[in-house]
Amino acid sequence: TSLLCALLLTLVHARTVTLWNTRLPVDQHGKSIITGEASVLQHGEAYYFYFNNWGDCPGFDCCNSTAGCASCCFDHPPHPMLPCSNPYGVDHTVQAYRTTDFVYWEDLGVALPL
């Protein structure tokens, strides 16, 4: 019966969450989370997101290849690369967030200063 109660509580508290790229979730300080290339780690009930933070660098697609940027940007970029978009540049960090429900996000700060 305890397993059944736990399952019922889980079903009662389950809800659908939709994430939008035009209305970003906010962190515990009310600031929009930083998004971009991401890695995700699940540990227990929490999800840890690691996003590349390019600072104020404008986003752009450096490669017209259908195979994506990794196929050409680093070795032979077809477009001039801005100094701030250099993956080894001073403006690049990795920002960490934690969420258990995809509604409330906790900013954990810079996980990797590059």
Side-chain angles (χ1 to χ4, degrees):
T1 38
S2 61
L3 178 59
L4 180 58
C5 287
L7 179 61
L8 288 175
L9 284 174
T10 301
L11 291 175
V12 168
H13 293 293
R15 65 178 168 178
T16 301
V17 176
T18 303
L19 299 175
W20 301 87
N21 63 349
T22 57
R23 190 174 60 222
L24 297 173
V26 296
D27 64 19
Q28 74 270 28
H29 307 292
K31 294 173 64 177
S32 294
I33 66 170
I34 295 167
T35 61
E37 304 93 353
S39 294
V40 182
L41 170 69
Q42 181 184 8
H43 182 71
E45 299 293 318
Y47 295 89
Y48 294 85
F49 281 77
Y50 301 91
F51 291 107
N52 282 317
N53 180 4
W54 297 101
D56 293 330
C57 191
F60 69 97
D61 184 5
C62 67
C63 182
N64 297 329
S65 168
T66 58
C69 277
S71 68
C72 65
C73 281
F74 298 107
D75 294 330
H76 307 288
H79 308 293
M81 187 175 284
L82 299 172
C84 66
S85 62
N86 180 342
Y88 310 105
V90 295
D91 294 327
H92 182 208
T93 62
V94 176
Q95 189 75 20
Y97 293 93
R98 178 183 180 273
T99 184
T100 57
D101 59 8
F102 295 90
V103 174
Y104 301 101
W105 293 76
E106 179 184 4
D107 181 354
L108 301 175
V110 174
L112 182 63
L114 299 177

